[in-house]
Amino acid sequence: MRLPILFAALSSLFFINASPISSNLNIKNGSPLVLKRQMSRYPFCPSQPATEALQQTIFADFINALYVQKNVTGAYNAHVDVNLIEHSPFGPQGRDANAAVLLNIIPYAQFTVLRSNFDANFGFIHLEIAGSPEPTALADIYRMNGTCIEEHWDVTQIKPSNATNPIAMF
């Protein structure tokens, strides 16, 4: 598999089957701190109403589960809608199909999370993916509806070996 296709696939997936949120988790009135302690036990899809502060906390949990812990199944089951809308030219539609592809990539990929942010229902993450001879920059963009990620875009670029900017892309 060619490197750009591999990284496009890496950035273009995330959904798995999730059951409704338990009534023990009060999403409307729960504080982000209380929810952070409970996140690993409850899925956030199907979507429920959420403040932007709560969405930021859920998105941070998703980033940690997927990119830091490399727990594709857990991240997708808890955070991604079963009907994920995927905009990557290499990624299939839907959570389960995307997660299946990522299970063959994320656990084995060497990458560094450089930055992330969340604002107005959209979250992004910027990664540096180790490569030979040059690294690849990856930007993933996610759209949330309430408590659930429903849409994904990605942009990838391999650092040119003749780049003249010493801080190019990272």
Side-chain angles (χ1 to χ4, degrees):
M1 181 180 277
R2 297 180 60 211
L3 191 60
I5 294 171
L6 174 71
F7 294 122
L10 167 67
S11 62
S12 64
L13 306 169
F14 69 93
F15 280 52
I16 293 181
N17 199 347
S19 58
I21 296 172
S22 165
S23 60
N24 294 334
L25 181 62
N26 187 342
I27 297 253
K28 283 187 178 176
N29 300 317
S31 74
L33 292 176
V34 171
L35 289 171
K36 189 139 183 94
R37 283 181 265 144
Q38 298 178 353
M39 281 187 187
S40 62
R41 299 183 307 171
Y42 300 102
F44 293 98
C45 300
S47 183
Q48 295 191 21
T51 64
E52 186 168 336
L54 177 56
Q55 286 181 312
Q56 288 174 344
T57 301
I58 293 168
F59 187 67
D61 188 64
F62 171 72
I63 288 173
N64 182 60
L66 185 62
Y67 297 103
V68 178
Q69 296 177 10
K70 297 186 176 188
N71 180 355
V72 176
T73 302
Y76 274 66
N77 280 338
H79 300 91
V80 180
D81 186 75
V82 70
N83 296 311
L84 172 67
I85 301 166
E86 177 57 61
H87 295 280
S88 171
F90 304 106
Q93 297 298 310
R95 178 187 66 204
D96 295 338
N98 276 281
V101 172
L102 287 181
L103 279 167
N104 294 310
I105 299 170
I106 287 187
Y108 312 103
Q110 295 180 357
F111 50 80
T112 303
V113 175
L114 300 174
R115 58 193 55 83
S116 66
N117 196 13
F118 188 89
D119 186 45
N121 295 326
F122 286 89
F124 87 88
I125 184 165
H126 179 211
L127 302 157
E128 179 178 351
I129 303 169
S132 179
E134 298 294 333
T136 296
L138 168 64
D140 278 323
I141 304 164
Y142 300 96
R143 182 184 59 80
M144 289 184 74
N145 176 19
T147 59
C148 188
I149 296 171
E150 293 188 344
E151 198 163 6
H152 174 257
W153 298 260
D154 61 55
V155 180
T156 58
Q157 181 179 2
I158 297 174
K159 184 177 180 183
S161 59
N162 62 348
T164 58
N165 181 352
I167 60 168
M169 302 166 48
F170 308 110

